[in-house]
Amino acid sequence: MPEAAVHLGSGKVRELYALDDQRLLLVASDRISVFDVILPTEVPDKGRVLTGLSAFWFRRTRHIVPNHLVALRGDGRSLECRRLEMLPVEVVVRGYLSGSGWKDYLHTGSVCGHALPPGLLESARLPTPIVTPATKAATGHDENIDRDTAAALVGAERWAEVEATALELYRFAAAHAGTRGIILADTKFELGVDAEGTLVLADEALTPDSSRFWPAAGYTPGGPQPSFDKQYVRDYTEGLGWDKTYPGPEVPTDVAAGTRARYVEAFELLTGVAFDTYLADPQAVLR
Ligand code: Q0Z
């Protein structure tokens, strides 16, 4: 547990602490959300998988953009990071048409001001990846905004830098994932600015909670794709006839264990590090 750390806030599945005036501690729990509802059943080691993946990507993308990672703690589930001035915009990069991007395309033919060719199928690969900004609405749900609105929120010059950085991060990570049999359909970045005014990648990066990972084997546009990590638990909870409102149902141990195995599989495919090795020495993902 964090020594003399002040609790700053809770995300759905994470906790944020202040270590001092310059440093934060991000702790990933084993909680899982399905259809935006936290389940009462935890997925063992999920927080370690997500933390290890974030740390892996921070290490591998620092040639593209500096990031907030200061240290990966020995528990494997917490990251010490630099405290930044966060940009008030979430930066989603989409290489495929899914989720709210697909919904917006169906209604308007475009996504966040990006006109797309007609006739695209759900889950189609886009001609080129697009950056689709969003803001946290009062409801707690993300609300897509267009690039002019994003530019007005952070400044036109900064927004141009953010877009270029996010696209480069996506291209790099999607290419890596592709070699491991995983499609990175889309991903959400959160960035901040340090005291020198430098753009810094923050929060979690390129995890299954901030991204859509699809198994490349069996990819079939024309409908939603199975999630690499959450599909067992989605199928199980939907099979109960649950209405997807609070509270979520308990899931059986075997469904939780199967879900854990999928998270661990994604971790091992993407990092090339055996998960047992990570548990024994989390620094293994930083080498
Ligand atoms: C991240 C969040 C969580 C609740 C603030 N490096 C940073 N500097 C300043 N602020 C943040 C970061 Cl990462 C920051 N969040 C999101 C995470 C629990 C909220 F674990 N909020």
Side-chain angles (χ1 to χ4, degrees):
M1 264 288 115
E3 191 82 7
V6 174
H7 188 235
L8 291 184
S10 300
K12 276 206 299 254
V13 302
R14 299 178 303 156
E15 304 297 331
L16 184 64
Y17 299 87
L19 295 172
D20 56 45
D21 57 353
Q22 303 203 67
R23 264 139 223 245
L24 300 177
L25 189 70
L26 275 168
V27 183
S29 73
D30 292 338
R31 297 192 293 274
I32 185 169
S33 76
V34 184
F35 308 115
D36 264 350
V37 174
I38 306 294
L39 298 183
T41 311
E42 294 192 332
V43 172
D45 291 324
K46 173 175 175 283
R48 291 190 176 88
V49 165
L50 268 64
T51 297
L53 274 170
S54 262
F56 168 81
W57 289 115
F58 284 138
R59 174 68 184 82
R60 259 125 194 112
T61 61
R62 66 186 191 187
H63 65 289
I64 299 173
V65 60
N67 60 68
H68 72 164
L69 177 62
V70 173
L72 167 58
R73 287 205 165 172
D75 63 5
R77 68 165 67 252
S78 38
L79 298 179
E80 296 177 20
C81 54
R82 287 193 282 152
R83 199 167 192 164
L84 306 166
E85 197 66 54
M86 297 300 288
L87 299 181
V89 177
E90 304 187 335
V91 185
V92 178
V93 186
R94 301 171 188 273
Y96 293 75
L97 200 46
S98 180
S100 68
W102 165 241
K103 287 197 183 104
D104 292 349
Y105 173 74
L106 267 187
H107 292 120
T108 70
S110 61
V111 183
C112 296
H114 298 270
L116 296 175
L120 293 176
L121 297 176
E122 183 174 6
S123 306
R125 185 177 184 166
L126 294 173
T128 187
I130 57 174
V131 177
T132 65
T135 52
K136 286 223 190 290
T139 62
H141 273 107
D142 300 347
E143 184 173 288
N144 286 345
I145 57 177
D146 64 28
R147 58 206 317 190
D148 293 341
T149 305
L153 283 168
V154 306
E157 197 179 328
R158 183 69 80 185
W159 181 248
E161 183 186 15
V162 167
E163 272 193 337
T165 301
L167 281 171
E168 201 177 340
L169 286 167
Y170 175 84
R171 288 183 197 283
F172 175 86
H176 176 86
T179 68
R180 309 302 208 260
I182 294 176
I183 293 172
L184 176 61
D186 54 44
T187 192
K188 177 177 78 183
F189 297 113
E190 305 218 19
L191 296 105
V193 175
D194 70 12
E196 283 73 56
T198 302
L199 185 67
V200 179
L201 181 61
D203 207 87
E204 63 180 327
L206 297 157
T207 71
D209 278 6
S210 64
S211 316
R212 283 190 180 87
F213 290 154
W214 297 335
Y219 166 63
T220 314
Q225 305 303 296
S227 156
F228 197 99
D229 44 289
K230 284 186 179 171
Q231 203 58 42
Y232 290 158
V233 76
R234 283 190 188 148
D235 291 349
Y236 173 80
T237 56
E238 276 198 300
L240 296 172
W242 171 48
D243 64 1
K244 302 175 188 175
T245 65
Y246 178 87
E250 295 269 5
V251 307
T253 317
D254 63 303
V255 175
T259 302
R260 176 193 183 275
R262 291 295 279 170
Y263 276 99
V264 168
E265 187 184 356
F267 174 97
E268 293 185 333
L269 285 169
L270 290 169
T271 66
V273 174
F275 191 61
D276 283 347
T277 299
Y278 178 74
L279 292 179
D281 177 17
Q283 310 309 314
V285 294
L286 298 179
R287 294 192 280 261

